Each structure stands twice: as structure tokens, then as C-alpha cells.
Amino acid sequence: MNLWTSAPARTPGARRPRRLSRLVVAGAAALTLLATGCSGGAEGSGGGGDSASTLIAYTGQAGDYQVNFNPYSPSDIGGSGLIFEPMFFINKTAADAEPKPLLGTEYAWNDTGTELAVTLREGATWSDGEPFTADDVVFTFQMLLDHPGLNGTGFDGAVTKVDDTHVTFTWPEPAYTSGPDVLSSIVIVPEHLWKDIDPEADVLEEPVGTGAYVLSDFKGQAFTMAANPEYWGGAPKVSTVRFLALSGNQAGADAIAAGTIDWQTGPIPDMANTNKNFPNYDTGSVAQNQMVLGTCANAALGCEGPQTDPAVRQALFHAIDRTQLNKLAFQDTAAEISPSMALTSTQADTISAQVQPRVAPMTAQPQEAARLLEAAGWVKGADGIYAKGGEKLSLTIEVVTGWTDYITAIQTIAAQAKAAGIQVEAAQSSWNEWTDKRFKGNFELAIDSLWQGPAPDPFYLYSYFYDGRMTAPVGTKANGNNWSRFSDPAVDAALDALQKLSPEDTAGRQAQFDVIQTALATQMPYIPVMTGSNTSVWNTAKFSGWPVDGEQYAFPAVWSDFDAAEILKTLTPKAAG
């Protein structure tokens, strides 16, 4: 099936109306909006819930949560997926997966790829009892157009209401690649509440959504979501989900050993033998997201430091011994990575012949690193570290406190880089501070993962992270996900061309991939490390229905919002005892 062109109608049966909850917004204006309903969550499924059907999850949050369920804020801690829904869900781990209807039930393109018609679900309501209609969809997409800083997918079409259950998206030129993002990446928000808030500045404390869960309780150490008994899809069998804040990955591993959490995505010792060591648990993983050393790369936009030199970025790429790194930091669970940033597993056919090496070397190449640096005017000092113009080649990598695998990775990379004449050190901070530094450009390097788009096509990663129109000067939040502040007019033009090409035009698309991938491999604003396997650990004694190999109906990562929502709606608690 072609995800760009059509989708079958697959509408579940009649649903009950929804009610509940309220919205409290606090921000620059300290604005509060209250809707009718109770403030604590669904009756009969509050805070603690039935222990047999309560799932305790750890997302990797190190330190207390800061309340914010605004799905369009970079500091959102859980608004998307469980509370706010897109129109469809697309399983990014399966190349031929059919889009699953959520707030939308059908969609179709016109013959020229300039118009996308969507049928919306009847009978869905917001958790304050108000009906969900086409007005909410139109409002949401217009909000993105009015607030470029929120428009992470780069939506640039127009949206029109046909009637309460039909909307039409139009573009002046073919926009096939916009389809999966429009359908499955953008969550819909309620116009009747959001029309009175600043979506960029305000913090959502008690959100109103259309999802399967409502916020039941919030504390800095944990927040709880309760199953919504009036969800249009029927209340999920997992009645309560509690998200814990711990001190980091080690605390998560300790909690698995103690049996006090049910689901986490992160490392534990001897992961390959999880079920043997902990019989109530098992693991699942998918090599999906590319781990990178993201750099503040663009000096013209205010980035400062040695990393603004492409030769430095290239040299660090060649200084990494990935075989050693995989063993020491990732328990040999990570996979190879391409400088083209196309996945070598599902997107290998798109990797340009002009990209050499096609795959990042697994052993360090200090001689190549030295050649690159010296050709760019760097000179090795008596201490073995390169310098240029009185500036020592010393770099700081930002990392979240408690992310033990990434911290170990930086320590390993630091030793490897030193052998190549590059000094590297780590700077640990809270998740909120780390996020703020990245998006405002106040960093040299930051370790993180880039994510895939809504369909198995590298176009989406390129458009998210490399579009020069989706960034901003240092000190201002990037207008999207391009936190490296990379900008190349040729890449932008190739992205525009890809958006207009039919997915069947493989030759035309490859010509544009050649342009993009050559620029990415040469300039490396995000230095490729490895492809992370994102191994999750889950409780098989308490819940059934996990997305195991062969039945991966969703990407099995607790922090992948839309996938986590599908998993929690699918799980079935086993009988207590």
C-alpha cells in the first residue's frame, strides 16, 4: 500500500460521548481557563487505580517533572498521543503498514497531488464534553501557520472546512510528502479553549484532549493518567498509567531488578539475558533513530566554537571507534549508521553512490582526522591537542544528567578523540536546561537521537532537521527541529523538489537525495554516531500484548508518544496473582 496516495476506510463501531476534566493554562499572562467537569480525572479510575491494571512507566526523566502538557512545547512531558491525538496513526516500523484511523477515518488525494480530503470521526468529544468537529482541525493547522515556531513539520498548505466531518487540505503545487505528516504527526487541539491562549508561551497544567487517557494527578516525582471511560475507542484495559521521575538510567535498571516498574526504554545490565535474569520481564528493540553529536554549526546565525568548522566535525566523525563505543556504552545493541543519515536497514536503496564511505567506519581513523584538521589549518600542540589562531580544539558535549548510556558514550568518545588530537568533555544538566540550550543554540555539541518521520522515507528526517528555513539565530528558539541551525540553499531546494514528486518517480527522487546526502555527509551538522536500537524492557507477567518481534504494531519505546499510546491501548492486564 502507498502511504502517500490513499487509505481504506476502517472505522470502528459506534462510540460513547466523552466528558471530564478542565484546562488550566499558566504562562506569561497567568491565564486560567476552566471548562465544566471535575478536575481530578475519571470517576472510578483516579490516582492509584486498580494495582492489577496500573502500569508504571519510566521515560528516562532524570529529576522532577516540570508540569507542561502543551503538545506543541519543547518541554511537553506527555501531552501528545495519550491525551491529544492526530487524525491517523502510522506504524513507522513497518514499511507496508496501513494508516490506522483515529480522529480521521478516510483520506484521499486528487489526481495532481495538490488536494487532500479527510473524513473526520463522528461522535468524538473533548474531555470537557464539547464535541470534536472540523473547526478544531482547521484551527489547529491555522495555528501552526500563524506560529512558525510551533510548525515542526513545515506545514505550508491551506485547510478548509467542508462540513463538521470533512476538511480539505490544499497546496499550490503537488505536496505528496506532506500527506503522512498532516495525517499522523500533528495533534489536534480544542479551538474553544486554545483560541484564548498563547500556544508558544503558555504552560498546560490540566489538558483537555480527545485521547484514551486524561490527566489524573501531577506531582514532580510522578504523574498519573487515568483511562477515559468515554473515549471514542472504548476505555483501554490498562486503567491507570503512572510515569515516574527517577535519578537516571541506573535507577531505572534498579527498578526493573526490584520489579517496581513495568516499562522503560533504556539500558539495563546484560540486556541480552533480561528474561533469564528477570523472569517477569522481556525486551524488544528496533534500530530506528540515529544517535548524533549535534553541533551548533552555523556561525552566520551566531554559533561559536571550533565545531563551526566543518573540518572539525568531519575529524570527530573519523575519530570515533564505533565497535568499542557499541560495546562499552550500548551493550552491542546499536547498529551501523550512514553519513547520508538514511537508515541502512529500511532506506538503504536511497543512499547516494556519491556518499563515501557509504557506512560510517566501525574503527577509529586518526590519520584521516589529522589530514582533515591540518588541511583546514589546525596545528597539533605539544600537548597533543590541535589549535588554530590561538584557539584550542576543545569541545563540550551537553547531556542530560542520569543518561548513563550517553554519559558513558561521551567518556568513550572523549578518550578516542584525544587520540586524534581533539579535547572533549561532558556537561550534564537537567532535561529542561539541556532542551533550552539546544533549541536556543547555546551549546557546542549535544548528544541526542534524530527521529524518523511518519513514513519509511528519509525525506522526513531531512525536512525536520536540515531545512534551513526551520531554524533561527542563536538566542531564539529554532522554528522547528533544526537545532543545529544548518542552512544550505541547495538542500532546501531539493526538499522542495521532493515534496512535489510522485513517490513512484524513483529516479527523480534519487537525484534530489543525491544533492541532500552529499551536503549532509560533507558538512555534518549532526555528526553520525550509531543507529540506536532503543531497547525497551517490559513486564510480561503483568501485561500481555507487547509489540514483540513479528508483531511490531508500534515502535516499542515508552517515550515515542504516538506509539506508546497505541501500545497502552492494546495491552491487557493479566489476572492478579
mmCIF file with all atom_site columns, all heavy atoms in Angstrom, residues 493-510:
data_model
loop_
_atom_site.group_PDB
_atom_site.id
_atom_site.type_symbol
_atom_site.label_atom_id
_atom_site.label_alt_id
_atom_site.label_comp_id
_atom_site.label_asym_id
_atom_site.label_entity_id
_atom_site.label_seq_id
_atom_site.pdbx_PDB_ins_code
_atom_site.Cartn_x
_atom_site.Cartn_y
_atom_site.Cartn_z
_atom_site.occupancy
_atom_site.B_iso_or_equiv
_atom_site.pdbx_formal_charge
_atom_site.auth_seq_id
_atom_site.auth_comp_id
_atom_site.auth_asym_id
_atom_site.auth_atom_id
_atom_site.pdbx_PDB_model_num
ATOM 1   N N   . ALA A 1 493 ? 16.244 23.566 -1.665  1.00 0.00 ? 493 ALA A N   1
ATOM 2   C CA  . ALA A 1 493 ? 15.636 23.412 -2.995  1.00 0.00 ? 493 ALA A CA  1
ATOM 3   C C   . ALA A 1 493 ? 15.323 21.951 -3.287  1.00 0.00 ? 493 ALA A C   1
ATOM 4   O O   . ALA A 1 493 ? 14.283 21.627 -3.876  1.00 0.00 ? 493 ALA A O   1
ATOM 5   C CB  . ALA A 1 493 ? 16.561 23.982 -4.061  1.00 0.00 ? 493 ALA A CB  1
ATOM 6   N N   . ALA A 1 494 ? 16.219 21.056 -2.875  1.00 0.00 ? 494 ALA A N   1
ATOM 7   C CA  . ALA A 1 494 ? 15.979 19.625 -3.088  1.00 0.00 ? 494 ALA A CA  1
ATOM 8   C C   . ALA A 1 494 ? 14.795 19.136 -2.260  1.00 0.00 ? 494 ALA A C   1
ATOM 9   O O   . ALA A 1 494 ? 14.002 18.312 -2.729  1.00 0.00 ? 494 ALA A O   1
ATOM 10  C CB  . ALA A 1 494 ? 17.239 18.831 -2.739  1.00 0.00 ? 494 ALA A CB  1
ATOM 11  N N   . LEU A 1 495 ? 14.643 19.648 -1.043  1.00 0.00 ? 495 LEU A N   1
ATOM 12  C CA  . LEU A 1 495 ? 13.483 19.290 -0.220  1.00 0.00 ? 495 LEU A CA  1
ATOM 13  C C   . LEU A 1 495 ? 12.193 19.749 -0.893  1.00 0.00 ? 495 LEU A C   1
ATOM 14  O O   . LEU A 1 495 ? 11.191 19.022 -0.903  1.00 0.00 ? 495 LEU A O   1
ATOM 15  C CB  . LEU A 1 495 ? 13.610 19.905 1.173   1.00 0.00 ? 495 LEU A CB  1
ATOM 16  C CG  . LEU A 1 495 ? 14.676 19.297 2.082   1.00 0.00 ? 495 LEU A CG  1
ATOM 17  C CD1 . LEU A 1 495 ? 14.847 20.127 3.351   1.00 0.00 ? 495 LEU A CD1 1
ATOM 18  C CD2 . LEU A 1 495 ? 14.317 17.853 2.443   1.00 0.00 ? 495 LEU A CD2 1
ATOM 19  N N   . ASP A 1 496 ? 12.214 20.952 -1.455  1.00 0.00 ? 496 ASP A N   1
ATOM 20  C CA  . ASP A 1 496 ? 11.038 21.460 -2.161  1.00 0.00 ? 496 ASP A CA  1
ATOM 21  C C   . ASP A 1 496 ? 10.707 20.582 -3.366  1.00 0.00 ? 496 ASP A C   1
ATOM 22  O O   . ASP A 1 496 ? 9.534  20.288 -3.634  1.00 0.00 ? 496 ASP A O   1
ATOM 23  C CB  . ASP A 1 496 ? 11.272 22.896 -2.615  1.00 0.00 ? 496 ASP A CB  1
ATOM 24  C CG  . ASP A 1 496 ? 11.281 23.884 -1.463  1.00 0.00 ? 496 ASP A CG  1
ATOM 25  O OD1 . ASP A 1 496 ? 10.802 23.532 -0.368  1.00 0.00 ? 496 ASP A OD1 1
ATOM 26  O OD2 . ASP A 1 496 ? 11.785 25.013 -1.658  1.00 0.00 ? 496 ASP A OD2 1
ATOM 27  N N   . ALA A 1 497 ? 11.742 20.167 -4.084  1.00 0.00 ? 497 ALA A N   1
ATOM 28  C CA  . ALA A 1 497 ? 11.521 19.329 -5.264  1.00 0.00 ? 497 ALA A CA  1
ATOM 29  C C   . ALA A 1 497 ? 10.944 17.971 -4.870  1.00 0.00 ? 497 ALA A C   1
ATOM 30  O O   . ALA A 1 497 ? 10.031 17.453 -5.534  1.00 0.00 ? 497 ALA A O   1
ATOM 31  C CB  . ALA A 1 497 ? 12.826 19.150 -6.034  1.00 0.00 ? 497 ALA A CB  1
ATOM 32  N N   . LEU A 1 498 ? 11.444 17.389 -3.787  1.00 0.00 ? 498 LEU A N   1
ATOM 33  C CA  . LEU A 1 498 ? 10.949 16.087 -3.342  1.00 0.00 ? 498 LEU A CA  1
ATOM 34  C C   . LEU A 1 498 ? 9.479  16.148 -2.965  1.00 0.00 ? 498 LEU A C   1
ATOM 35  O O   . LEU A 1 498 ? 8.722  15.199 -3.208  1.00 0.00 ? 498 LEU A O   1
ATOM 36  C CB  . LEU A 1 498 ? 11.772 15.594 -2.145  1.00 0.00 ? 498 LEU A CB  1
ATOM 37  C CG  . LEU A 1 498 ? 13.136 14.995 -2.471  1.00 0.00 ? 498 LEU A CG  1
ATOM 38  C CD1 . LEU A 1 498 ? 13.968 14.838 -1.210  1.00 0.00 ? 498 LEU A CD1 1
ATOM 39  C CD2 . LEU A 1 498 ? 12.966 13.635 -3.166  1.00 0.00 ? 498 LEU A CD2 1
ATOM 40  N N   . GLN A 1 499 ? 9.073  17.246 -2.386  1.00 0.00 ? 499 GLN A N   1
ATOM 41  C CA  . GLN A 1 499 ? 7.682  17.373 -1.969  1.00 0.00 ? 499 GLN A CA  1
ATOM 42  C C   . GLN A 1 499 ? 6.727  17.326 -3.153  1.00 0.00 ? 499 GLN A C   1
ATOM 43  O O   . GLN A 1 499 ? 5.588  16.876 -3.016  1.00 0.00 ? 499 GLN A O   1
ATOM 44  C CB  . GLN A 1 499 ? 7.488  18.672 -1.188  1.00 0.00 ? 499 GLN A CB  1
ATOM 45  C CG  . GLN A 1 499 ? 6.137  18.782 -0.506  1.00 0.00 ? 499 GLN A CG  1
ATOM 46  C CD  . GLN A 1 499 ? 6.084  19.896 0.496   1.00 0.00 ? 499 GLN A CD  1
ATOM 47  O OE1 . GLN A 1 499 ? 6.993  20.697 0.599   1.00 0.00 ? 499 GLN A OE1 1
ATOM 48  N NE2 . GLN A 1 499 ? 4.993  19.964 1.248   1.00 0.00 ? 499 GLN A NE2 1
ATOM 49  N N   . LYS A 1 500 ? 7.190  17.728 -4.311  1.00 0.00 ? 500 LYS A N   1
ATOM 50  C CA  . LYS A 1 500 ? 6.330  17.790 -5.493  1.00 0.00 ? 500 LYS A CA  1
ATOM 51  C C   . LYS A 1 500 ? 6.352  16.506 -6.321  1.00 0.00 ? 500 LYS A C   1
ATOM 52  O O   . LYS A 1 500 ? 5.532  16.333 -7.214  1.00 0.00 ? 500 LYS A O   1
ATOM 53  C CB  . LYS A 1 500 ? 6.760  18.965 -6.373  1.00 0.00 ? 500 LYS A CB  1
ATOM 54  C CG  . LYS A 1 500 ? 6.706  20.314 -5.677  1.00 0.00 ? 500 LYS A CG  1
ATOM 55  C CD  . LYS A 1 500 ? 7.376  21.393 -6.505  1.00 0.00 ? 500 LYS A CD  1
ATOM 56  C CE  . LYS A 1 500 ? 7.510  22.695 -5.731  1.00 0.00 ? 500 LYS A CE  1
ATOM 57  N NZ  . LYS A 1 500 ? 8.273  23.714 -6.488  1.00 0.00 ? 500 LYS A NZ  1
ATOM 58  N N   . LEU A 1 501 ? 7.319  15.635 -6.053  1.00 0.00 ? 501 LEU A N   1
ATOM 59  C CA  . LEU A 1 501 ? 7.475  14.446 -6.884  1.00 0.00 ? 501 LEU A CA  1
ATOM 60  C C   . LEU A 1 501 ? 6.587  13.306 -6.408  1.00 0.00 ? 501 LEU A C   1
ATOM 61  O O   . LEU A 1 501 ? 6.478  13.040 -5.208  1.00 0.00 ? 501 LEU A O   1
ATOM 62  C CB  . LEU A 1 501 ? 8.931  13.987 -6.877  1.00 0.00 ? 501 LEU A CB  1
ATOM 63  C CG  . LEU A 1 501 ? 9.933  14.898 -7.590  1.00 0.00 ? 501 LEU A CG  1
ATOM 64  C CD1 . LEU A 1 501 ? 11.358 14.424 -7.348  1.00 0.00 ? 501 LEU A CD1 1
ATOM 65  C CD2 . LEU A 1 501 ? 9.644  14.942 -9.086  1.00 0.00 ? 501 LEU A CD2 1
ATOM 66  N N   . SER A 1 502 ? 6.001  12.612 -7.343  1.00 0.00 ? 502 SER A N   1
ATOM 67  C CA  . SER A 1 502 ? 5.245  11.413 -7.015  1.00 0.00 ? 502 SER A CA  1
ATOM 68  C C   . SER A 1 502 ? 6.176  10.368 -6.421  1.00 0.00 ? 502 SER A C   1
ATOM 69  O O   . SER A 1 502 ? 7.328  10.227 -6.865  1.00 0.00 ? 502 SER A O   1
ATOM 70  C CB  . SER A 1 502 ? 4.590  10.852 -8.281  1.00 0.00 ? 502 SER A CB  1
ATOM 71  O OG  . SER A 1 502 ? 4.122  9.537  -8.056  1.00 0.00 ? 502 SER A OG  1
ATOM 72  N N   . PRO A 1 503 ? 5.723  9.612  -5.437  1.00 0.00 ? 503 PRO A N   1
ATOM 73  C CA  . PRO A 1 503 ? 6.578  8.574  -4.859  1.00 0.00 ? 503 PRO A CA  1
ATOM 74  C C   . PRO A 1 503 ? 6.994  7.505  -5.853  1.00 0.00 ? 503 PRO A C   1
ATOM 75  O O   . PRO A 1 503 ? 7.969  6.785  -5.621  1.00 0.00 ? 503 PRO A O   1
ATOM 76  C CB  . PRO A 1 503 ? 5.718  7.992  -3.728  1.00 0.00 ? 503 PRO A CB  1
ATOM 77  C CG  . PRO A 1 503 ? 4.328  8.403  -4.041  1.00 0.00 ? 503 PRO A CG  1
ATOM 78  C CD  . PRO A 1 503 ? 4.427  9.701  -4.763  1.00 0.00 ? 503 PRO A CD  1
ATOM 79  N N   . GLU A 1 504 ? 6.276  7.404  -6.968  1.00 0.00 ? 504 GLU A N   1
ATOM 80  C CA  . GLU A 1 504 ? 6.651  6.427  -7.995  1.00 0.00 ? 504 GLU A CA  1
ATOM 81  C C   . GLU A 1 504 ? 7.829  6.891  -8.847  1.00 0.00 ? 504 GLU A C   1
ATOM 82  O O   . GLU A 1 504 ? 8.448  6.092  -9.561  1.00 0.00 ? 504 GLU A O   1
ATOM 83  C CB  . GLU A 1 504 ? 5.451  6.135  -8.905  1.00 0.00 ? 504 GLU A CB  1
ATOM 84  C CG  . GLU A 1 504 ? 4.430  5.167  -8.313  1.00 0.00 ? 504 GLU A CG  1
ATOM 85  C CD  . GLU A 1 504 ? 3.542  5.841  -7.281  1.00 0.00 ? 504 GLU A CD  1
ATOM 86  O OE1 . GLU A 1 504 ? 3.366  7.090  -7.360  1.00 0.00 ? 504 GLU A OE1 1
ATOM 87  O OE2 . GLU A 1 504 ? 3.033  5.138  -6.389  1.00 0.00 ? 504 GLU A OE2 1
ATOM 88  N N   . ASP A 1 505 ? 8.169  8.173  -8.777  1.00 0.00 ? 505 ASP A N   1
ATOM 89  C CA  . ASP A 1 505 ? 9.275  8.715  -9.582  1.00 0.00 ? 505 ASP A CA  1
ATOM 90  C C   . ASP A 1 505 ? 10.591 8.502  -8.832  1.00 0.00 ? 505 ASP A C   1
ATOM 91  O O   . ASP A 1 505 ? 11.198 9.429  -8.297  1.00 0.00 ? 505 ASP A O   1
ATOM 92  C CB  . ASP A 1 505 ? 9.044  10.202 -9.848  1.00 0.00 ? 505 ASP A CB  1
ATOM 93  C CG  . ASP A 1 505 ? 10.090 10.802 -10.786 1.00 0.00 ? 505 ASP A CG  1
ATOM 94  O OD1 . ASP A 1 505 ? 10.988 10.061 -11.239 1.00 0.00 ? 505 ASP A OD1 1
ATOM 95  O OD2 . ASP A 1 505 ? 10.006 12.024 -11.045 1.00 0.00 ? 505 ASP A OD2 1
ATOM 96  N N   . THR A 1 506 ? 11.046 7.258  -8.799  1.00 0.00 ? 506 THR A N   1
ATOM 97  C CA  . THR A 1 506 ? 12.229 6.921  -8.008  1.00 0.00 ? 506 THR A CA  1
ATOM 98  C C   . THR A 1 506 ? 13.487 7.589  -8.556  1.00 0.00 ? 506 THR A C   1
ATOM 99  O O   . THR A 1 506 ? 14.352 8.000  -7.787  1.00 0.00 ? 506 THR A O   1
ATOM 100 C CB  . THR A 1 506 ? 12.422 5.397  -7.950  1.00 0.00 ? 506 THR A CB  1
ATOM 101 O OG1 . THR A 1 506 ? 12.465 4.883  -9.290  1.00 0.00 ? 506 THR A OG1 1
ATOM 102 C CG2 . THR A 1 506 ? 11.298 4.742  -7.175  1.00 0.00 ? 506 THR A CG2 1
ATOM 103 N N   . ALA A 1 507 ? 13.614 7.716  -9.855  1.00 0.00 ? 507 ALA A N   1
ATOM 104 C CA  . ALA A 1 507 ? 14.804 8.346  -10.430 1.00 0.00 ? 507 ALA A CA  1
ATOM 105 C C   . ALA A 1 507 ? 14.850 9.829  -10.086 1.00 0.00 ? 507 ALA A C   1
ATOM 106 O O   . ALA A 1 507 ? 15.904 10.365 -9.707  1.00 0.00 ? 507 ALA A O   1
ATOM 107 C CB  . ALA A 1 507 ? 14.816 8.146  -11.948 1.00 0.00 ? 507 ALA A CB  1
ATOM 108 N N   . GLY A 1 508 ? 13.722 10.489 -10.228 1.00 0.00 ? 508 GLY A N   1
ATOM 109 C CA  . GLY A 1 508 ? 13.680 11.911 -9.890  1.00 0.00 ? 508 GLY A CA  1
ATOM 110 C C   . GLY A 1 508 ? 13.948 12.155 -8.419  1.00 0.00 ? 508 GLY A C   1
ATOM 111 O O   . GLY A 1 508 ? 14.663 13.100 -8.049  1.00 0.00 ? 508 GLY A O   1
ATOM 112 N N   . ARG A 1 509 ? 13.403 11.287 -7.562  1.00 0.00 ? 509 ARG A N   1
ATOM 113 C CA  . ARG A 1 509 ? 13.633 11.433 -6.124  1.00 0.00 ? 509 ARG A CA  1
ATOM 114 C C   . ARG A 1 509 ? 15.100 11.175 -5.783  1.00 0.00 ? 509 ARG A C   1
ATOM 115 O O   . ARG A 1 509 ? 15.691 11.870 -4.958  1.00 0.00 ? 509 ARG A O   1
ATOM 116 C CB  . ARG A 1 509 ? 12.720 10.471 -5.357  1.00 0.00 ? 509 ARG A CB  1
ATOM 117 C CG  . ARG A 1 509 ? 11.272 10.944 -5.291  1.00 0.00 ? 509 ARG A CG  1
ATOM 118 C CD  . ARG A 1 509 ? 10.345 9.862  -4.770  1.00 0.00 ? 509 ARG A CD  1
ATOM 119 N NE  . ARG A 1 509 ? 10.767 9.317  -3.493  1.00 0.00 ? 509 ARG A NE  1
ATOM 120 C CZ  . ARG A 1 509 ? 10.523 9.887  -2.311  1.00 0.00 ? 509 ARG A CZ  1
ATOM 121 N NH1 . ARG A 1 509 ? 9.858  11.028 -2.256  1.00 0.00 ? 509 ARG A NH1 1
ATOM 122 N NH2 . ARG A 1 509 ? 10.933 9.314  -1.203  1.00 0.00 ? 509 ARG A NH2 1
ATOM 123 N N   . GLN A 1 510 ? 15.701 10.178 -6.434  1.00 0.00 ? 510 GLN A N   1
ATOM 124 C CA  . GLN A 1 510 ? 17.092 9.871  -6.118  1.00 0.00 ? 510 GLN A CA  1
ATOM 125 C C   . GLN A 1 510 ? 18.016 11.023 -6.483  1.00 0.00 ? 510 GLN A C   1
ATOM 126 O O   . GLN A 1 510 ? 19.000 11.287 -5.774  1.00 0.00 ? 510 GLN A O   1
ATOM 127 C CB  . GLN A 1 510 ? 17.542 8.599  -6.846  1.00 0.00 ? 510 GLN A CB  1
ATOM 128 C CG  . GLN A 1 510 ? 18.923 8.109  -6.407  1.00 0.00 ? 510 GLN A CG  1
ATOM 129 C CD  . GLN A 1 510 ? 18.993 7.824  -4.915  1.00 0.00 ? 510 GLN A CD  1
ATOM 130 O OE1 . GLN A 1 510 ? 18.200 7.056  -4.386  1.00 0.00 ? 510 GLN A OE1 1
ATOM 131 N NE2 . GLN A 1 510 ? 19.928 8.457  -4.215  1.00 0.00 ? 510 GLN A NE2 1
#
